[in-house]
Amino acid sequence: MTAEPRLPVEGDAVLRFAPHTRFRFDEVRQAWIVLAPERLMLPDEQAVEILQLIDGKRAVDDVIDELAGRYDAPRDVIAGDVVKMLQDLVDKKVLRL
Amino acid sequence: MTAVEPPLAMLAELTHRCPLRCPYCSNPLELSRASAELDSETWKRVLGEAAALGVLQVHFSGGEPLVRRDLADLVRHAAKVGLYGNLITSGINLDAGRLAELVEAGLEHVQLSFQDADIVSGDRIAGLPGSQEAKRRAARLVREAGLPLTVNAVVHRQNLDRLGEIIELAVALGADRLEVAHVQYYGWALRNRAALLPSREQLDAATAAVEAARTRLAGLLVIDYVLPDYYAHRPKACMGGWGRRFLNVTPAGKVLPCHAAETLTGLDFPTVAEASLSEIWYRSSAFERFRGTDWMPEPCRSCERREIDWGGCRCQAFALTGDAARTDPACALSPDRELLVGARADANESAPDFVYRQHSAASHRSPDLVSSPA
């Protein structure tokens, strides 16, 4: 996608899961899953950690701070990964601004 | 090869009854009668078995699932056992009361079909006057009820030139997603192939329209679009691979690896009366037959993409070559590739009338069914 996103994920944005989207633990697979209209995702460990911080209260910047603290990793590296993933999920209408 | 994993999704074909008569219907040529359909209690048992097996999403489909009076009951049971419930519907006969009942039962999403953006053409393709207006009403009801809406548009020679208008229709209806599905040629669609297969020029224009719209509408409308097999260079991983992700239960209770698998001869598909879904998924010979890579002939067997496309579509290989175990001719490396080339030429040179979907005696053409309602 070369165009500017319609709903850009900025640092002060507060994200939540869209209605009728479920992020839950699946007992059969012993893994976290995302269920959405016509979509089914099996997020990897890193993605699960990010999604667990999406609670409709934290801003994107807080999510990045939390993860940067947890991993003792350069904040801008983490920020790049997090924003890229969240933007993709907003564009797919799994998350909402 | 790796261990067999549990299925992700189940298509529950509750009935073959449908008010529409689309000439590319994915139901088999031999349609089940209402009297052969599974009852409510059996469906509930199957939904429970599906959830225990690891199925995460259930798609209530048909035919038209709304013709089943117990639909809300089944949706409620699906939600109770933890399945994410999706309704795949024509929208005909959907009213506010029925929808409220389904929402209350825990329905998560509606996928609504449209045959064209042009009402006259859409009614003609669906074989039912007034159908396209009814669908527009249904879309409004779904949005008013707060459910996510996916517009499904099956595209082909007779509507592909209006793909831009179909995209605009989806936006105007407030859809979250548009699924643009090229016709797959087996069953009814294979019978109507010369009337449905698009030209290369149509296809290129449509693909460009989708690409432009995706950029323009990002964040507003998600567009799912896959190039059709007859113009592809490599085949698709049909159903994500045979017996890997998906299972289908027919109105009469047969369990299939995909909705078209009954077109394959020589395979014995078990029913839900004979075995549990788990036994069928992990141990039936039908699900084992094309699972993984051991069954593959060359050029698939030594291909570096064998665990990407899983040999393509077994039903398409069978429909075109008469042998389900051959490489899908959608692959440019298939020795049967010329069969696709011939079909494309056929469609470009002839313009036959539709043979509409109908119950039994399906092999003859009914002249009263081809008139336009306009």
Side-chain angles (χ1 to χ4, degrees):
Chain A
M1 196 78 52
T2 47
E4 285 296 305
R6 176 178 305 264
L7 302 166
V9 173
E10 314 269 10
D12 59 355
V14 176
L15 298 183
R16 64 188 71 234
F17 281 89
H20 299 281
T21 297
R22 310 258 174 265
F23 174 52
R24 67 168 174 85
F25 190 76
D26 174 44
E27 295 295 338
V28 174
R29 291 171 183 77
Q30 290 293 301
W32 286 85
I33 53 168
V34 178
L35 295 168
E38 311 278 341
R39 295 241 184 266
L40 199 156
M41 298 174 196
L42 305 173
D44 65 15
E45 253 174 79
Q46 268 185 308
V48 167
E49 283 205 59
I50 298 169
L51 290 175
Q52 282 173 335
L53 296 170
I54 302 300
D55 56 4
K57 296 186 192 99
R58 282 188 181 87
V60 172
D61 275 339
D62 303 332
V63 172
I64 295 165
D65 289 342
E66 168 73 29
L67 292 167
R70 231 181 255 183
Y71 292 107
D72 196 23
R75 195 184 184 282
D76 53 337
V77 173
I78 296 216
D81 289 349
V82 169
V83 170
K84 183 163 178 280
M85 184 186 113
L86 295 179
Q87 184 69 60
D88 182 50
L89 291 174
V90 167
D91 288 342
K92 286 180 176 152
K93 307 187 99 173
V94 172
L95 297 179
R96 278 205 183 164
L97 287 168
Chain B
M1 74 168 273
T2 52
V4 178
E5 291 184 15
L8 296 169
M10 177 170 84
L11 188 68
E13 293 181 323
L14 300 181
T15 181
H16 280 159
R17 291 175 284 157
C18 185
L20 303 189
R21 300 184 292 126
C22 307
Y24 45 75
C25 181
S26 62
N27 289 161
L29 295 172
E30 284 298 320
L31 297 168
S32 282
R33 299 277 169 189
S35 57
E37 291 173 11
L38 298 181
D39 62 17
S40 301
E41 289 315 305
T42 308
W43 271 116
K44 286 180 188 172
R45 171 174 64 81
V46 169
L47 291 166
E49 289 178 4
L53 174 58
V55 168
L56 301 168
Q57 286 184 324
V58 58
H59 308 289
F60 291 103
S61 178
E64 172 52 65
L66 287 168
V67 308
R68 292 273 304 214
R69 291 171 192 279
D70 57 355
L71 179 61
D73 246 16
L74 300 179
V75 167
R76 184 173 293 109
H77 193 78
K80 186 178 139 196
V81 298
L83 296 169
Y84 186 94
N86 172 29
L87 176 66
I88 300 180
T89 180
S90 69
I92 313 291
N93 301 330
L94 182 67
D95 60 37
R98 194 82 196 278
L99 187 59
E101 193 190 13
L102 292 167
V103 171
E104 185 274 325
L107 186 69
E108 302 275 18
H109 169 242
V110 174
Q111 185 197 104
L112 185 61
S113 69
F114 279 83
Q115 283 66 40
D116 202 331
D118 179 87
I119 286 180
V120 173
S121 171
D123 282 353
R124 186 183 72 85
I125 293 165
L128 182 68
S131 58
Q132 305 306 301
E133 288 292 0
K135 286 162 180 291
R136 284 163 168 75
R137 283 194 295 275
R140 278 193 291 276
L141 290 174
V142 171
R143 296 307 295 149
E144 283 164 17
L147 281 182
L149 173 67
T150 294
V151 166
N152 172 278
V154 174
V155 291
H156 46 79
R157 173 174 293 261
Q158 305 204 22
N159 66 7
L160 193 54
D161 295 335
R162 283 181 294 280
L163 183 52
E165 290 153 79
I166 292 171
I167 293 167
E168 291 316 312
L169 173 64
V171 173
L173 293 172
D176 304 285
R177 289 177 64 256
L178 170 64
E179 187 176 283
V180 181
H182 279 277
V183 170
Q184 299 275 310
Y185 294 100
Y186 27 67
W188 291 102
L190 184 60
R191 181 161 295 185
N192 286 295
R193 187 173 63 183
L196 293 171
L197 194 63
S199 70
R200 175 96 240 173
E201 292 70 31
Q202 283 184 298
L203 179 63
D204 289 345
T207 305
V210 167
E211 279 166 9
R214 268 183 180 155
T215 305
R216 186 167 53 86
L217 300 171
L220 185 66
L221 180 74
V222 180
I223 304 178
D224 285 351
Y225 175 79
V226 180
L227 286 175
D229 282 337
Y230 276 59
Y231 288 98
H233 184 61
R234 291 284 178 265
K236 287 191 281 295
C238 195
M239 314 316 293
W242 181 277
R244 287 190 75 247
R245 299 278 170 83
F246 179 89
L247 56 82
N248 181 76
V249 181
T250 71
K254 272 194 187 180
V255 185
L256 312 174
C258 86
H259 58 270
E262 272 188 294
T263 61
L264 305 178
T265 55
L267 285 177
D268 182 25
F269 296 108
T271 73
V272 296
E274 293 162 347
S276 70
L277 283 188
S278 172
E279 287 170 309
I280 294 169
W281 179 258
Y282 287 110
R283 287 200 285 280
S284 70
S285 59
F287 275 79
E288 284 292 323
R289 179 64 184 87
F290 299 113
R291 191 176 253 152
T293 56
D294 288 349
W295 62 273
M296 287 181 178
E298 292 294 355
C300 297
R301 179 176 281 273
S302 59
C303 180
E304 61 182 17
R305 292 178 56 86
R306 64 186 176 277
E307 292 193 357
I308 296 171
D309 59 41
W310 303 100
C313 173
R314 295 304 88 224
C315 301
Q316 185 154 271
F318 180 80
L320 289 167
T321 74
D323 180 358
R326 286 182 78 77
T327 294
D328 184 346
C331 183
L333 301 173
S334 157
D336 303 306
R337 181 72 171 176
E338 76 280 0
L339 293 170
L340 290 194
V341 180
R344 295 198 301 241
D346 240 22
N348 287 332
E349 286 156 19
S350 62
D353 289 334
F354 288 147
V355 181
Y356 283 96
R357 169 202 138 110
Q358 57 187 322
H359 277 270
S360 74
S363 51
H364 80 277
R365 183 177 298 228
S366 301
D368 61 326
L369 295 178
V370 294
S371 62
S372 164

